Amino acid sequence: MIEPGIHQGFILAAYLLAAVVLIGMVVWIVLDGRSQRARLAVLEARGVRRRSAGKAGS
């Protein structure tokens, strides 16, 4: 194992910052996904359909 040295604090800070950024991105993606699903549900309730769904009866 690498011995602790003068750069240990910097390395630990870099790992912690990377972990915080990754966790933040995951939280953001989950919250945005919920928001997009809610917006889609509102649109579908208003009768707006996806173009990829095709038209009924054709």
Side-chain angles (χ1 to χ4, degrees):
M1 188 166 173
I2 299 175
E3 294 182 25
I6 60 173
H7 301 294
Q8 181 179 6
F10 173 77
I11 294 169
L12 181 60
Y15 274 110
L16 288 174
L17 180 62
V20 167
V21 169
L22 287 174
I23 290 169
M25 289 176 66
V26 168
V27 170
W28 180 28
I29 290 169
V30 168
L31 293 176
D32 186 57
R34 289 180 184 176
S35 172
Q36 295 299 322
R37 281 192 297 273
R39 291 173 68 189
L40 183 59
V42 168
L43 288 173
E44 287 179 344
R46 289 176 37 197
V48 178
R49 297 285 179 230
R50 299 179 199 174
R51 282 183 268 173
S52 62
K55 293 183 179 180
S58 53

